[in-house]
């Protein structure tokens, strides 16, 4: 599910349809762009995404499908198609509730976010392997 960085046009809905119906991890993603300067991908969230932050990038999220609650830096917002969420690195965020599946988000990270760049506020709630399928060696 990696990008070779040679394409310039992507069918987000066609790629969304290719994401699995279930996953052992919190999310599964598909990269469109994967360069040191930025990454762009879609990801499907399968269950509650506990509060966490990233140390290496600013994150820009656009909700493509589904609904839920988005937590950002102490406040909660409705996450629904058409919502755009933008925040700097180290901002605590998460999706504590999913109310309609599939919850799929288009993400642009500047600079690129390594797949294992995730720090959970409560380390008991997860790690890189439980967060994303590409980090889980199974």
């Amino acid at each position: 599910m990696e990008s070779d960085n040679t394409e310039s046009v992507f069918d987000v809905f066609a790629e969304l349809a290719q994401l699995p119906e279930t996953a052992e991890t919190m999310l599964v993603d598909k990269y469109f762009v994967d360069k040191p300067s930025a990454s762009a991908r879609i990801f499907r969230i399968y269950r509650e995404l506990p509060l966490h932050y990233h140390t290496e990038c600013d994150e820009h999220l656009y909700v493509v499908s589904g609904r839920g609650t988005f937590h950002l830096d102490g406040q909660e917002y409705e996450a629904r198609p058409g919502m755009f969420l933008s925040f700097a690195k180290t901002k605590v965020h998460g999706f504590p509730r999913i109310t309609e599946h599939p919850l799929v988000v288009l993400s642009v990270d500047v600079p690129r976010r390594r797949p294992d760049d995730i720090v959970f506020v409560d380390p008991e709630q997860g790690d890189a392997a439980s967060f994303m399928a590409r980090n889980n060696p199974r």
Side-chain angles (χ1 to χ4, degrees), residues 61-137:
L61 306 177
Y62 180 81
V63 180
V64 177
S65 70
R67 292 182 180 271
T69 301
F70 179 72
H71 180 103
L72 177 62
D73 213 23
Q75 295 187 12
E76 291 191 344
Y77 305 89
E78 179 188 15
R80 58 178 167 71
M83 295 302 296
F84 180 71
L85 313 157
S86 180
F87 47 95
K89 64 183 171 183
T90 73
K91 287 289 185 180
V92 173
H93 61 284
F95 283 87
R97 284 179 294 291
I98 299 172
T99 56
E100 181 183 309
H101 287 277
L103 181 53
V104 177
V105 175
L106 173 70
S107 176
V108 177
D109 302 312
V110 180
R112 178 193 193 272
R113 188 181 75 73
R114 289 181 303 107
D116 63 351
D117 175 22
I118 181 158
V119 179
F120 284 95
V121 172
D122 177 356
E124 297 288 319
Q125 292 186 303
D127 59 18
S130 65
F131 175 60
M132 189 180 311
R134 73 179 58 253
N135 295 333
N136 194 329

Side-chain angles (χ1 to χ4, degrees), residues 17-56:
Q18 297 301 310
L19 294 172
E21 286 297 315
T22 62
E24 291 183 22
T25 55
M26 295 174 202
L27 63 90
V28 173
D29 66 353
K30 162 69 169 124
Y31 276 86
F32 299 130
V33 177
D34 191 11
K35 301 177 184 179
S37 59
S39 59
R41 62 198 169 99
I42 56 170
F43 59 83
R44 180 173 175 176
I45 304 170
Y46 294 90
R47 58 185 170 93
E48 171 187 321
L49 189 52
L51 297 180
H52 64 281
Y53 60 92
H54 309 289
T55 62
E56 299 177 358

